[in-house]
Amino acid sequence: MARLAASWRPGFLARLLGGAWCLLCAAGQVCGEQSQGAVFLREFTLIRRESLHEDFLSDLSNTHKTEDSSSRRARSKEDRDGLWDAWGPWSECSRTCGGGASYSLRRCLGSRSCEGRNIRYRTCSNVDCPPDAGDFRAQQCSAHNDVKHRGQVYEWLPVSNDPDNPCALKCQAKGTALVVELAPKVLDGTRCYAESLDICISGLCQIVGCDHQLGSTAKEDNCGVCNGDGSTCRLVRGQYKSQLSATKSDDTVVAIPYGSRHVRLVLKGPDHLHLETKTLQGAKGENSLSSTGTFLVDNSSVDFQKYPDKETLRMTGPLTADFIVKIRNSGPADSTVQFIFYQPIIHRWRETDFFPCSATCGGGYQLTSAECYDLRSSRVVADQNCHYYPENAKPKPKLQECNLDPCPASDGYKQIMPYDLYHPLPRWEATPWTACSSSCGGGVQRRAVSCVEEDVQGRVSSVEEWKCMYTPKTPIVQPCNIFDCPKWLAQEWSPCTVTCGQGLRYRVVLCMDHRGMHTGGCSPKTKPHIKEECIGPTPCYRPREKLPVEAKLPWYKQAQELEEGAAVSEEPSFVPEAWSACTVTCGVGIQVRIVRCQVLLSFSQSVADLPADECEGPRPASQRACYAGPCSGEFPEFNTDDDTDGLLGGLQELDVLYDWAHEGFTKCSQSCGGGVQEAVVSCLNRETRERADPNLCTTSRRPPKHPKPCNLDPCPGRWEAGRWSPCSFTCGVGLQTRDVFCSHLLSRETNEMVILEDELCRGPKPSTVQVCNRSNCPPAWYPAQWQPCSRTCGGGVQKREVLCKQRMADGSFLELPDTICSASKPASQQECKMEDCPSEWLLSDWTECSSSCGEGTQTRSAVCRKVLESGVSAVVNSTLCPPLPFSSSVRPCMLAACARPGQPPPRHSPQIAAARKVYIQMRRQRRLHFVVGGVAYLLPKTAVVLRCHTRRSHKPLLTWEKDGQHLTSSAHVTVAPFGYLKIHRLRPADAGVYTCSAGPAREQFVIQLLGGNRKLVTRPPSLPGEEEAVPGRKASPKEALQTHGHPHGLFSNSSKVEKEALSADPSSRYDDLVSQLLEHGGWPEELLASWELQDFTERNVSSEEDPGAEQALLHLPFTLVAEQRRLDDILRNLSQQPEELRDLYSKHLVAQLAQDVFRGHPEHRDALHTPSEHRSPLAATPRKHVSGFSTSLRTSSRDAGSGPRRPHRKPTILRKISAAQQLSASEVVTHLGQTVVLASGTLSVLLNCEAIGNPRPAISWARNGEEIQFSNRILLQPDDSLQILAPVEADVGFYTCNATNAAGHDSVSIAVTLAGKPLMKTSRMTVVNTEKPTVTVDIGSTVKTVQGVNVTIHCQVAEYVVQQSRPQRQQQGAVLQAVRVTPRKRRGAASEACARPRLRRPGLPQPHSHPPQVPTQLGDIRALLAATGLNLPSVLTSPQGTQLVLDLGNSALLGCPVRGHPTPNVTWFHSGRPIGSATGLSYHILAAGQILHVANLSAGAHGEFSCLAQNEAGQLTQKASLVIRDYWWAVDRLVTCSASCGNRGVQQPRLRCLLNNTEVDPGHCSGKVRPTVQPVACNRRDCPSRWMVTSWSACTRSCGGGIQTRRVTCQKLKASGFSTPVPNDVCSQHAKRPVDTQACNQQLCVEWAFSSWGQCSGPCVGPHTAMQHRQVFCQTRDGITLPSEQCSALPRPVSSQNCWSEACSVHWRVSLWTVCTATCGSYGFQSRRVECVHAHTNKAVSEHLCSWGARPANWQRCNITPCENRECSDTSRYCEKVKQLHLCPLSQFKLRCCGTCGEA
């Protein structure tokens, strides 16, 4: 009833519950049908009929048709015309769902009646009701259940589909035959019929189309599409004949897919049908169809009828599942099934978006493609799914230009378009396959395959086959048409045509293909006969004919009357219809008939028309001559003797009666350019001049056709297209072009054609470019260009990059591993410049300056050297070298001014600020900034800015070197005069040591490159003669260490010489440590997935940057930064470890370093985790980072999109915090993490285990650590849950669910215990660990591990909360037996098993008191040191003494491991004295004296520290020594001279930072005073002559080609510093003269041109204002039109503007508001007329002309004031009518008409 109440809306003409609702009109005007008894009164709502007086109803019937004259005169002043007012708003819908009705009202504004209706309707709420809503008509019937009918209460059910009055509410009493009309009208929106969309409105059935519109005739097509054309589905019909055997009880007839409609099947024979279904969610069902009826199968209605000899199945659809119709064998005879249905086309072609542009700038192309889309699952599927439907036409790819902006000049790089020509490798090319040798039953196809090669011009030529042998040869033979050939299938014989004597019987013989479909192609020779004679059971008896056949009608007439007919059969055959009447009443005429190829569909007993080629045999004639007798008399009497002569005589008249005649000319063969017309010759009746059959005229007398020319005017212009050019590429994606021009034909005889302008041709111009050969190329080697030779002479090496790539169908390149390319890899390195170098001077380094202050000199030596073609240098006679000026060997040097008495001290020498850090780039960034002094491991293609901050030095005087060679600016490296160096896009050759020099101060910066998978890239050699590195191979860390003499890890006790050699190469000092850090496997999963995604993206994108992949890497830090001091400490500590444990400690320290790395990034402080079995409580302890890794939070200016694929995720088992669910008294279902308590009545326990991960994890179960053996009582369910049936006490234990995939594993346990008995999880497993830093085991296990490992032991008790113990560090062979637990509820004795921790070694007693001694296990003291959080170097004291080497200013932790009972007191000493009396020490004593923290070490801290532990049983002394290292500067040999000639060459002595006579990083000596060194002049000699050029002048023209010049002179720099000009011939001997003139600004001179303004006829945009347009186009100054992009740099003129228009001189005109319909309340409204009028004529015009201004409102509310406190007066102008209709007793009328009703 609540839904019924919601469906009622006020204002509807409806009756309910035996009472009528009435709607009244103003002045008694009838609103609805008069026969419906309802009128509308404007202000009042719906009222009940029983609320009205009888006299009102009687007056209503007399007054609602006419209006009294007095009332009309009273309103004559108000109504000014006879027009309708605007329609009011739509009312609320009569229903909330299922289709209802809504109405809108209008009123008549005139004094006379208005034509038409004042109410209109529309449908609404056209959405399906929920399943539980029920039938709307049934709801209306049920509303009468509480109303007595004839003194009795009934439960009423609806009576639907009443043909006489479908809109009456007829209901039937439940359980009886009583049918009563409870209301004359149902509520608006009720369906007229159950299976129709038509609805009842105001008691009348209104037609509703499938578009839910009133009065619409739209209907659904066979596919269920409203107003569809049937293109979204296809008709499927066929026939199946059972072929069942004794071993095969059923067989599939047909599979009917989801969404099919109008399914009909007919089975004939003894077998039976049954159905199998499968929903889209995978649920399967089966129905045996055992009885006749209509029922639901997976929400699809199925109508099944079963007869003795056949079964029929109908489903209207659409089907909500996939239906598989099967047949079950029930008899010896075969059965036949005929079926027909409409199958939806669920796969459609869908056009994709445009692929990425082929170029980033400068103009490129982009393409679209087509993908096959599954409409049912909304996903893309394989293309063959769309090829299955012939109705699907695959869209052709589209091509458009893109990225037309010019490339920026500063970039210096333009990506090559994938459509540019290149020289591909030879390839196999095949001809098309030949036709199959057999149309069915298996055949072969052949083709020719040859090896071809394509040159740069695109010409293809055949070459030898061995050139293509790098890829397998494509097959030349393939099988085809392997399906079975069609076969004849004969059906049952029909009954005999006679019941007595001899007759015929027939059968249907069909040609069936391998799919069971009726088709053609069977051999007529093997076709079984379709008819045969049959003899009835009894002979026939009939009287003998009295007259012979010849005595009957004449033979020609008998031939017409006894024409053999043909009946439609189940075999396709020609069926002629009856002959038409003769075309003449006398003489010879023509008869015609229609001949069709038809077949009888027995299951539907309908006839279907087929194409003519489906019918075999000759086709009957469709036309013949007829003779109607002579036209001059009556038809003579024929007899058997003279009837033949009479017919022949009639035929002789044909020659005279018909003859040939001309009837005009045919249509001209051409519409222009000259065509031909021919005379039309027809056979005519000479008497009637009517056309006759040409066979009636004599052929020999037919006149010739007289041709004549016609349409000789030239043809208009039309587009002519040439042939497509060869494809630019044979694979990948290429382009074809063709010429398209406008031409017109002058004459077809001369074939003369004239080329016209394109504007003279109509229609769009055909495309001049198209895509071709859009397919993936085979993988091949793609070599890059050779790099410049490493040397200009003397034998150098040049290299190139050779990659294995595959050109894809979208034009991009996919980079592949080298193993994919089968051909031999082209050489990536070759020799070059194999010629002797000219002799040259080899200069030594400048000596130190001869003076320590002020001005001095520097000198250097020189030898004449010549590099031979073999690369070997040879010293030759000095006369072979050019003269060496004096300035080349001596130069002045200037240092700080010497101090004078009374003057301030001299300025110090320059200093360079350095940052001693190590940088590791984690993901791609466009540019990185660094300061000298560090080491950086960077990704290729990154721009690097290296800054050198100096003090007391001019930045322009800074110099840069790389690997000892002076650096100058080039296209790749920029040396700026402001103290920085910029490297554009790093490449392998850029790796090395960069040195910044400012006077004597020098600082270095090392750059190493990272390749794919975060591997270090081998740096190519930079000097000739160095050993070449093997390309593509990176030495392992172990091999690298062995190369340096370290066979066991990062360092070994090598010789001093080896250490010096190692430290002398700062570029590789941290390589092995960084390699191990990057290969560390304990990084968080999201970080590893981001690296994998970045590597995948870098390999497979076609452009330089991929925004889609960058978005997925945003959480990955850009650069990791570390202090070099931290890494030096790690290397130093490793060198002090024993060799057998060095590798293990190396992994442990790297793992700890990785934790510090990732914790340094704020976004990932909580993301770091280790595998669950290795997790340590100390991992959560906050630590202070000292020289640890942190992430450089530089932000990138570019954002990017999502990654290309989903990363692997380790399994995670879902823990559900919910108690065990007791489904019944005997069944328990629970999730992991809970405890199951078995009771005496428990019959089943189900343990659920749900895990997530990628790939999907595999689930396994174990009990108490042992794999479960499944049986008929312990079952593994399909969802991986474990079920225990009839559990017993032996089933008690801990059940563990293990989830495993390629990324890792996870496990969770659940306890199953008996009620009242606690359960403890134990294990007897022995764990041996030598590598992992943490170990986690259960109580009862045995652990064998190395020293320093964190061991966590779980003691899990059912019903208890277990606290994990603090990690214990075990010595080798130690056994940790128990841990402490705190039970939440103490039950039983299980809590005692884990009562107290006890460490023991087998066989040792446990004394109660003993003197201090060193503990056998040092895990506690080591954990205590780590728990301090200081992260400082530490050392443990020992009775023999230990040693720790530290730098000045460092801090250290000293641990004193001791145990005893009672607990010993610990006292610390330094150099034999109490620690408190030591001077210069800053220390803290921690952990009850067991730890000594010494801070800010100074020289005074050097020496021995000891700890004295004593108790009442004895004492113990342990020692440790701190060695404080110191650094100092040492002066080394002179460095290389700063110049090779001129007067600026100086040499500086090299300073080295030493520690114990071993050179270390200069940063260690940064606080030490540098010794004073003086530069030495060197190479003070004249320089060789060289060319000098000035800057280019300005171009002579801004466009169209200009010239710019510069001055070129030959200069020679003297040793004195002056440059003098010399003859040009001197410089020409050494180098080619640079050009002094070049062309510039070659682009065309373009400008915008425009046509005159068009007419002012556009849309109105304001008063008197419209729009006018003109054409704007780009052209050269010569008037040649160009694309608009050519003028994009120029300001474009406007193409549209406002203009004055008389037609827009319009405005909105409004009339006065009408009188308000009420004086108070909330129902009053008034209206006015709004129209668009012309300003001058004041005539109404179309409203769209005034659309530029807001349209004024045409109605509004008025007098919205409360009426309660007013005096008794009328608030409605219809109160006289209220009084007349006797409505005053009603409260709502009395309130509105207080004055009038008060008088009554």
Side-chain angles (χ1 to χ4, degrees), residues 492-498 504-506 534:
E492 297 178 357
W493 289 105
S494 67
C496 195
T497 57
V498 296
L504 296 174
R505 64 174 183 173
Y506 299 88
C534 57

Side-chain angles (χ1 to χ4, degrees), residues 160-209:
S160 304
N161 303 331
D162 184 6
D164 299 327
N165 189 3
C167 290
L169 183 61
K170 290 186 178 181
C171 306
Q172 181 178 3
K174 186 176 181 180
T176 68
L178 177 62
V179 177
V180 180
E181 182 178 318
L182 297 180
K185 293 184 288 188
V186 294
L187 292 182
D188 289 354
T190 306
R191 296 283 175 90
C192 301
Y193 305 99
E195 300 297 332
S196 172
L197 294 176
D198 301 342
I199 62 174
C200 293
I201 297 180
S202 190
L204 295 178
C205 185
Q206 303 287 345
I207 297 177
V208 178

Side-chain angles (χ1 to χ4, degrees), residues 1037-1059:
K1038 187 172 181 180
E1039 292 174 350
L1041 290 174
Q1042 291 175 351
T1043 303
H1044 292 289
H1046 310 298
H1048 300 290
L1050 295 176
F1051 274 100
S1052 64
N1053 298 323
S1054 56
S1055 64
K1056 177 179 177 181
V1057 177
E1058 289 173 336
K1059 291 184 178 180

Side-chain angles (χ1 to χ4, degrees), residues 940-1095:
K941 300 183 181 179
T942 303
V944 175
V945 177
L946 195 56
R947 300 186 180 276
C948 185
H949 299 298
T950 61
R951 296 180 57 190
R952 298 186 291 273
S953 175
H954 295 291
K955 291 186 180 299
L957 298 179
L958 294 178
T959 59
W960 288 90
E961 297 178 1
K962 178 181 180 295
D963 296 334
Q965 301 295 321
H966 182 67
L967 274 181
T968 58
S969 293
S970 63
H972 182 63
V973 179
T974 300
V975 179
F978 308 109
Y980 71 87
L981 173 75
K982 182 177 181 181
I983 306 174
H984 306 272
R985 295 173 60 85
L986 283 176
R987 52 197 185 196
D990 295 323
V993 181
Y994 292 81
T995 306
C996 171
S997 301
R1002 295 167 61 87
E1003 282 294 344
Q1004 295 179 339
F1005 191 86
V1006 180
I1007 294 180
Q1008 299 278 40
L1009 260 65
L1010 299 175
N1013 298 326
R1014 304 299 178 281
K1015 300 290 185 181
L1016 291 180
V1017 176
T1018 303
R1019 184 159 63 100
S1022 58
L1023 295 175
E1026 290 186 299
E1027 182 180 354
E1028 301 293 340
V1030 179
R1033 182 178 182 271
K1034 171 71 174 70
S1036 65
K1038 187 172 181 180
E1039 292 174 350
L1041 290 174
Q1042 291 175 351
T1043 303
H1044 292 289
H1046 310 298
H1048 300 290
L1050 295 176
F1051 274 100
S1052 64
N1053 298 323
S1054 56
S1055 64
K1056 177 179 177 181
V1057 177
E1058 289 173 336
K1059 291 184 178 180
E1060 290 180 354
L1062 178 63
S1063 60
D1065 184 11
S1067 64
S1068 60
R1069 179 169 35 170
Y1070 305 117
D1071 286 3
D1072 301 309
L1073 192 59
V1074 172
S1075 296
Q1076 292 191 34
L1077 180 65
L1078 293 176
E1079 295 171 0
H1080 174 57
W1083 294 105
E1085 294 177 9
E1086 59 269 24
L1087 186 59
L1088 296 176
S1090 301
W1091 288 348
E1092 180 183 358
L1093 175 60
Q1094 183 178 1
D1095 293 337

Side-chain angles (χ1 to χ4, degrees), residues 1216 1229-1232 1246-1251 1256-1261 1275-1283 1297:
K1216 297 192 176 181
V1229 178
T1230 186
H1231 291 274
L1232 296 179
L1246 185 67
L1247 309 180
N1248 289 323
C1249 180
E1250 299 178 28
R1256 181 179 177 182
I1259 302 297
S1260 62
W1261 287 87
L1275 309 175
L1276 180 65
Q1277 300 297 330
D1279 60 348
D1280 295 325
S1281 58
L1282 182 68
Q1283 186 174 17
C1297 174

Side-chain angles (χ1 to χ4, degrees), residues 1271-1539:
S1271 63
N1272 54 358
R1273 196 175 59 83
I1274 301 179
L1275 309 175
L1276 180 65
Q1277 300 297 330
D1279 60 348
D1280 295 325
S1281 58
L1282 182 68
Q1283 186 174 17
I1284 307 174
L1285 301 177
V1288 296
E1289 186 173 359
D1291 296 327
V1292 171
F1294 280 83
Y1295 288 80
T1296 304
C1297 174
N1298 299 302
T1300 308
N1301 66 3
H1305 70 276
D1306 190 13
S1307 62
V1308 176
S1309 297
I1310 182 171
V1312 177
T1313 181
L1314 295 176
K1317 293 185 179 181
L1319 177 66
M1320 179 186 300
K1321 183 180 181 182
T1322 61
S1323 174
R1324 297 295 179 262
M1325 182 173 57
T1326 299
V1327 178
V1328 179
N1329 175 61
T1330 59
E1331 295 180 356
K1332 298 181 180 179
T1334 60
V1335 177
T1336 302
V1337 294
D1338 290 323
I1339 192 71
S1341 301
T1342 300
V1343 181
K1344 295 183 179 181
T1345 182
V1346 296
Q1347 183 180 1
V1349 175
N1350 290 337
V1351 179
T1352 301
I1353 302 179
H1354 289 294
C1355 181
Q1356 185 173 352
V1357 181
E1359 303 281 333
Y1360 288 81
V1361 178
V1362 182
Q1363 294 180 348
Q1364 290 182 340
S1365 69
R1366 185 176 64 189
Q1368 307 291 328
R1369 295 183 181 255
Q1370 300 295 310
Q1371 293 182 355
Q1372 186 171 3
V1375 179
L1376 186 60
Q1377 181 169 293
V1379 298
R1380 180 180 303 277
V1381 300
T1382 304
R1384 176 183 295 171
K1385 299 177 182 179
R1386 291 190 175 271
R1387 300 179 59 184
S1391 62
E1392 298 299 323
C1394 305
R1396 54 180 295 186
R1398 184 169 68 254
L1399 295 177
R1400 66 178 178 87
R1401 182 182 295 272
L1404 292 180
Q1406 302 295 323
H1408 296 284
S1409 175
H1410 53 77
Q1413 60 180 347
V1414 180
T1416 57
Q1417 298 176 2
L1418 302 178
D1420 286 342
I1421 187 65
R1422 293 186 186 275
L1424 203 58
L1425 289 171
T1428 60
L1430 299 179
N1431 198 20
L1432 297 176
S1434 61
V1435 66
L1436 294 180
T1437 60
S1438 69
Q1440 295 78 21
T1442 57
Q1443 183 180 7
L1444 180 63
V1445 180
L1446 295 170
D1447 297 333
L1448 283 174
N1450 279 3
S1451 299
L1453 294 176
L1454 284 78
C1456 184
V1458 64
R1459 70 174 182 176
H1461 186 78
T1463 302
N1465 295 323
V1466 179
T1467 306
W1468 286 93
F1469 297 87
H1470 178 245
S1471 300
R1473 294 183 299 170
I1475 190 71
S1477 62
T1479 59
L1481 279 183
S1482 174
Y1483 66 92
H1484 301 280
I1485 297 178
L1486 309 173
Q1490 291 193 58
I1491 296 177
L1492 175 65
H1493 174 208
V1494 183
N1496 196 15
L1497 294 173
S1498 61
H1502 188 89
E1504 182 182 85
F1505 288 80
S1506 60
C1507 64
L1508 174 62
Q1510 53 187 355
N1511 63 4
E1512 60 187 21
Q1515 64 181 14
L1516 173 68
T1517 301
Q1518 301 181 79
K1519 299 173 290 182
S1521 299
L1522 293 186
V1523 178
I1524 310 301
R1525 297 180 297 188
D1526 200 4
Y1527 302 89
W1528 68 90
W1529 290 107
V1531 180
D1532 199 1
R1533 57 184 177 82
L1534 295 175
V1535 299
T1536 306
C1537 188
S1538 60

